[in-house]
Amino acid sequence: MTAPVRDATAPTTSPSAPTLREAFHQPRSVWAIAFAATVSFMGIGLVDPILPATSSQLDATPSQAMLLFTSYLFITAIAMFFTSWFASRFGVRRTLLAGLVLVVVFAALCSLSSSVTGIIGLRAGWGLGNALFISTALAAIVGATTGPSGGAIMLYETALGIGMALGPLLGGLLGSLSWRAPFAGTAALMAIGFIAIVALLKDEDRPAPVSPVAALTALRHPALRTLALTAVFYNFGFFTLLAYSPFPLEAAATAEGGEFGAMGIGGVFFGWGVALAITSVFVAPILTRRIGLVPTLLGTLGALAVLMLVLSVFHTSMTFLVVLIIIGGLLLGIMNTALTETVMEATDLPRSVASSSYSGVRFLGGAVAPAVAGPLAAATSAGAPYLLATGTLVVAMLVLVLGRKHLTAVGAHSLSAVEEAEAITLGDEG
């Protein structure tokens, strides 16, 4: 959905904070979208706990198993460049339903596949569906509410947090039965979401048209380009932690005479998801208001670089790994929200176009990380991917410092409730 062009220096007013009654007293259509959004966000971390099991049971290397993230994120990245155009061409409701159909079909096919290469290809289709759904879910949930938008936004943020936290836990629970079960479970839940949206969400007015290449041409803007490049190197670190860490966890547990398994990995990343959700919704806004967006970004990137460096040294200790992964979730939640909020403040581009452009570039960084981490660990040592991630986070800091002159509009105004929610939503997508 295209937002009107905004003067980056003009203040905006934010509606008063919604009450819990306003947040949860919503039409059934809003609840239907919130349910589907929860399941969609669960899908991001669902695969994480079953990566070691998938690798061993399908006779695949860890590098091949991590490509389940790469194919998913690469197609999500490409799709994100065009989702704003797609929604303006076909409407929000049809875009939501198209995304859900794709997720249901490809998740179900993943559960029936018998080879890791087949699942890698099917995860690409899943990524396309998720991009279509997530990119328009916020606009749909705000448009479907009959009361103040703040209440619907709070409900959406709640769904987001629950989904990010429960994804790894559900993946661990179902993965302890079979590596196929998390895929089948996601397909079933998304099918329920599809039926609910078909039954409860009405057609809406068609959004204003957007050029098919609007998100690509937006990268000519120096501020957006600076932040997108920052996000590429940052997301390499993010997905090194998310996609690679299950393997050192499993190895550390084995070395200490135990077996972590899907349930153990799911529990660790449940803690990671809860930490990420808490700081993205509650801590990041406080920090950015008190010390500013760019200082928050630089400080958090520096803390993440130190964390990755420590991980590269202590990756053989299960206790250190568990604690550091959860601390990483706290830092990633702050970084995600602050970075996306900075994108939304730094330019006068339409919000949907800037979001699509930035998301497309940053997901490319996430797609590269799993593809590099596995071969690097196999060729050198298990700590090497974390050391490389330390380097990419330092590069992200350098890009941000060198491009800071283009970010003069940042901090000139406060975000509206809808813009704040979009920052949290797009940030927590990874």
Side-chain angles (χ1 to χ4, degrees), residues 38 41-50 161-178 181-182 186 189 242 261-274:
T38 300
F41 280 109
M42 285 167 59
I44 295 175
L46 191 81
V47 172
D48 219 40
I50 61 171
I162 292 172
M164 291 295 294
L166 289 184
L169 187 62
L170 181 65
L173 285 169
L174 294 177
S176 63
L177 302 175
S178 166
T186 300
L189 289 171
L242 178 62
M263 193 62 234
I265 296 171
V268 172
F269 281 94
F270 170 72
W272 171 87
V274 169

Side-chain angles (χ1 to χ4, degrees), residues 367-395:
V368 170
V372 171
L376 179 62
T380 54
S381 72
Y386 293 124
L387 194 58
L388 179 59
T390 302
T392 64
L393 290 165
V394 171
V395 172

Side-chain angles (χ1 to χ4, degrees), residues 4-348:
V5 175
R6 181 185 66 243
D7 180 356
T9 62
T12 60
T13 58
S14 298
S16 59
T19 65
L20 287 176
R21 177 179 174 81
E22 290 174 328
F24 293 100
H25 186 67
Q26 298 290 345
R28 287 179 295 174
S29 56
V30 171
W31 282 101
I33 304 167
F35 170 76
T38 300
V39 179
S40 184
F41 280 109
M42 285 167 59
I44 295 175
L46 191 81
V47 172
D48 219 40
I50 61 171
L51 286 177
T54 303
S55 175
S56 62
Q57 293 178 31
L58 291 181
D59 234 4
T61 65
S63 300
Q64 288 175 314
M66 278 186 280
L67 290 178
L68 297 182
F69 273 101
T70 294
S71 61
Y72 173 88
L73 292 169
F74 180 75
I75 297 301
T76 297
I78 300 302
M80 278 291 183
F81 285 114
F82 304 101
T83 51
S84 57
W85 164 78
F86 191 94
S88 73
R89 177 70 177 82
F90 298 100
V92 170
R93 182 175 182 270
R94 290 180 181 176
T95 303
L96 286 175
L97 293 176
L100 288 171
V101 167
L102 288 172
V103 172
V104 170
V105 169
F106 284 101
L109 290 174
C110 282
S111 72
L112 300 174
S113 181
S114 58
S115 71
V116 71
T117 53
I119 300 174
I120 289 168
L122 294 168
R123 280 279 286 176
W126 188 337
L128 174 59
N130 210 50
L132 290 172
F133 178 82
I134 289 297
S135 64
T136 50
L138 179 62
I141 205 168
V142 171
T145 184
T146 56
S149 63
I153 290 167
M154 181 183 287
L155 179 61
Y156 185 77
E157 292 173 2
T158 302
L160 181 156
I162 292 172
M164 291 295 294
L166 289 184
L169 187 62
L170 181 65
L173 285 169
L174 294 177
S176 63
L177 302 175
S178 166
W179 66 264
R180 299 179 187 273
F183 297 123
T186 300
L189 289 171
M190 283 302 234
I192 295 170
F194 176 87
I195 294 168
I197 289 177
V198 167
L200 300 175
L201 186 63
K202 298 178 181 178
D203 286 323
E204 76 295 326
D205 294 333
R206 190 66 52 83
V210 173
S211 167
V213 295
L216 293 171
T217 57
L219 289 172
R220 295 173 182 169
H221 197 293
L224 182 60
R225 190 166 59 247
T226 295
L227 294 169
L229 285 173
T230 300
V232 166
F233 293 105
Y234 157 65
N235 260 35
F236 187 98
F238 182 107
F239 280 97
T240 296
L241 185 68
L242 178 62
Y244 173 66
S245 294
F247 294 98
L249 273 172
E250 189 76 23
T254 301
E256 294 179 14
E259 183 180 352
F260 222 49
M263 193 62 234
I265 296 171
V268 172
F269 281 94
F270 170 72
W272 171 87
V274 169
L276 187 148
I278 289 172
T279 54
S280 66
V281 176
F282 299 109
V283 178
I286 295 172
L287 284 176
T288 57
R289 298 301 180 269
R290 289 188 177 178
I291 67 175
L293 284 165
V294 175
T296 298
L297 292 176
L298 288 172
T300 309
L301 283 169
L304 280 168
V306 171
L307 181 136
M308 289 293 184
L309 185 61
V310 175
L311 274 170
S312 72
V313 176
F314 294 100
H315 62 274
T316 56
S317 167
M318 190 173 70
T319 301
F320 267 99
L321 279 170
V322 171
V323 171
L324 291 171
I325 286 170
I326 294 174
I327 292 174
L330 294 171
L331 296 173
L332 295 172
I334 296 169
M335 185 67 195
N336 286 352
T337 298
L339 185 55
T340 309
E341 187 173 329
T342 305
V343 170
M344 296 170 68
E345 285 203 25
T347 79
D348 58 359

